[in-house]
Amino acid sequence: MKKNISLSLLVLVLCLLPVCAQPKNKTQRSGIENPSALRNFFAALNEASAKQRLEPVRIMHFGDSHVAADVLTRELREKFQADFGDGGSGFVVPRNPMATRRRNVIAGATEGWIIEGIGGRSSADAIYGPAGINLATSEPGERAWLETSCNHFEVYFARMSGGGKIEITVDGVDALEGPITLNSRVAKLDSVSIDLPDDAPHRLQVRTLSPGRTRILGIVAEHLSGGISYDVFGINGARASRILGWNQTALATAVRMRDPNLIIIAYGTNEAADAGWTPAAYEALLGDIIQRLHTAVPKASILIYAPPDRADLPLSGRLESLVNAERRAALANNAAFWSSFAAMGGAGSMNAWVSKGLAQTDRVHLTGAGYARMAEMFYRDVKNAWKSAR
């Protein structure tokens, strides 16, 4: 009898061993992977938490339509700022047609400007700045503005052959010693910074003074007193490869000027349906982008944010392969990794989110409530990783 019991127990143990030994599915939820890659970002959060910083902790979030509308990112911005302080509105492109209006920010431009970088309009030199778009005009008397509470402004623009002349005012008063002439033999990205004596509501305005090409790449507003500044660089329909199509010298210059503490790279939804897509090529592409950013800003932490599920097309496991390719690229290139695909439940979860009102009927994008849920999960995992590192 004892031998039979022992034999049964042995069989049971042997049956369970393969289950225990199975490798973890890389697409299931596991929080922030490789959190050690975020050590510099976490150190900046420690300083912000202790109110020891004289400038914001800066986050740059690149991505596709999940990012462009500033719905997911608004939720993240407000969570970070509620816990670590408000560092200001960050980088804004006035009249950005993809983004919803930021709270406590008024931005706009007169009708003589066009948006380059989307809609079939492009700049020959591919200088767009990190937003991937810019305001452009050749007419005098055109204005662009940003109004919010801050004590620090930055204006990013392009210098080029045939460039015009601009003035910059703050609260109706000239902010510089004189106008800026944009005419230059060599096309390049440039910027000016303006510090103000009081941290209060201010209005910065750029006005063109002469005929000639003028391109405004963005306006930054910040509080130079710590907190979080959260830049959103999303473009509808974008793929990660779009970043490599921009002028790389200009992009590196802009990223260095912004001096981010964390860069989030969030693509994959559009690539998942591309003909000819392969995991190996995509992994190599992301690795190239990560290394370029490491070179531009060596102290910045980088995190790959994998896309959510989608159910509008029969992708036959391609999203799982894409998410795992992103994971491999992150871990091989000193970047952290987080998967919204895994967070929402993996393959097939999009249909469940639609039924709960958390995703739209296009079965690609989330609803406002869904993006809020996703932001909550991501923020909780980032904060838990930060606490564990302290």
Side-chain angles (χ1 to χ4, degrees):
M1 183 71 174
K2 290 181 179 179
K3 288 183 178 179
N4 289 338
I5 294 174
S6 299
L7 181 60
S8 298
L9 288 173
L10 178 61
V11 170
L12 177 61
V13 169
L14 291 174
C15 289
L16 288 175
L17 278 175
V19 175
C20 297
Q22 285 179 352
K24 185 178 181 181
N25 181 347
K26 299 307 181 185
T27 59
Q28 75 181 47
R29 178 164 164 73
S30 57
I32 301 293
E33 294 192 59
N34 196 25
S36 63
L38 302 179
R39 68 174 69 87
N40 288 347
F41 174 57
F42 289 160
L45 288 183
N46 289 338
E47 293 174 351
S49 180
K51 301 188 184 306
Q52 295 175 342
R53 290 183 66 88
L54 298 179
E55 63 180 7
V57 177
R58 298 186 179 96
I59 300 173
M60 302 176 75
H61 196 143
F62 292 88
D64 49 30
S65 55
H66 297 295
V67 175
D70 196 26
V71 178
L72 168 73
T73 47
R74 181 185 65 231
E75 295 286 340
L76 290 170
R77 181 187 299 110
E78 292 181 354
K79 290 179 185 301
F80 273 108
Q81 291 181 344
D83 286 341
F84 297 98
D86 183 353
S89 62
F91 193 108
V92 174
V93 180
R95 222 177 72 190
N96 183 339
M98 296 171 287
T100 55
R101 178 182 167 183
R102 294 195 187 183
R103 293 194 177 113
N104 303 316
V105 175
I106 299 173
T110 51
E111 293 301 316
W113 301 90
I114 62 171
I115 300 289
E116 293 182 339
I118 56 173
R121 294 191 178 101
S122 61
S123 300
D125 55 26
I127 295 176
Y128 300 111
I133 62 174
N134 58 248
L135 285 171
T137 187
S138 295
E139 301 299 322
E142 300 295 341
R143 296 174 293 115
W145 58 85
L146 177 67
E147 184 174 340
T148 188
S149 181
C150 66
N151 63 350
H152 176 78
F153 282 116
E154 297 167 14
V155 180
Y156 288 72
F157 50 86
R159 295 185 185 273
M160 75 221 89
S161 177
K165 187 180 294 186
I166 60 173
E167 70 171 9
I168 299 175
T169 60
V170 174
D171 302 329
V173 178
D174 287 340
L176 306 174
E177 294 182 356
I180 298 175
T181 299
L182 302 179
N183 188 43
S184 173
R185 184 177 56 84
V186 177
K188 61 181 178 179
L189 178 146
D190 204 350
S191 71
V192 294
S193 297
I194 301 165
D195 292 330
L196 304 169
D198 60 332
D199 198 334
H202 294 286
R203 178 187 175 94
L204 180 141
Q205 179 176 276
V206 178
R207 184 169 70 95
T208 59
L209 298 179
S210 67
R213 287 275 288 165
T214 297
R215 287 154 56 201
I216 303 302
L217 312 180
I219 303 173
V220 170
E222 290 182 334
H223 304 290
L224 294 183
S225 57
I228 302 289
S229 177
Y230 203 116
D231 294 345
V232 177
F233 303 135
I235 296 177
N236 292 340
R239 292 155 175 79
S241 59
R242 191 182 190 104
I243 290 177
L244 297 180
W246 300 335
N247 184 301
Q248 294 300 292
T249 300
L251 176 61
T253 298
V255 172
R256 280 194 294 270
M257 288 176 174
R258 287 298 293 136
D259 192 21
N261 301 97
L262 173 65
I263 300 173
I264 301 173
I265 303 171
Y267 296 95
T269 289
N270 299 298
E271 289 93 335
D274 286 347
W277 179 91
T278 66
Y282 188 55
E283 180 182 342
L285 171 76
L286 286 177
D288 185 12
I289 291 170
I290 294 169
Q291 288 304 319
R292 286 171 185 263
L293 291 171
H294 277 317
T295 299
V297 277
K299 294 183 180 180
S301 298
I302 298 177
L303 181 143
I304 298 292
Y305 179 112
D309 189 29
R310 61 181 290 184
D312 60 321
L313 296 171
L315 297 175
S316 303
R318 181 176 283 201
L319 262 172
E320 291 97 323
S321 296
L322 183 143
V323 169
N324 287 328
E326 292 195 345
R327 178 181 182 274
R328 290 192 300 272
L331 302 189
N333 292 280
N334 189 30
F337 176 77
W338 189 84
S339 173
S340 64
F341 177 79
M344 70 189 296
S349 58
M350 176 58 75
N351 289 325
W353 278 50
V354 170
S355 67
K356 296 175 183 177
L358 297 174
Q360 299 180 32
T361 55
D362 67 0
R363 300 182 187 277
V364 176
H365 301 92
L366 308 184
T367 60
Y371 284 122
R373 175 77 62 86
M374 193 67 73
E376 175 63 35
M377 291 188 287
F378 176 62
Y379 184 71
R380 182 173 64 242
D381 286 347
V382 170
K383 198 167 181 183
N384 285 341
W386 167 66
K387 288 179 178 179
S388 296
R390 298 183 77 180

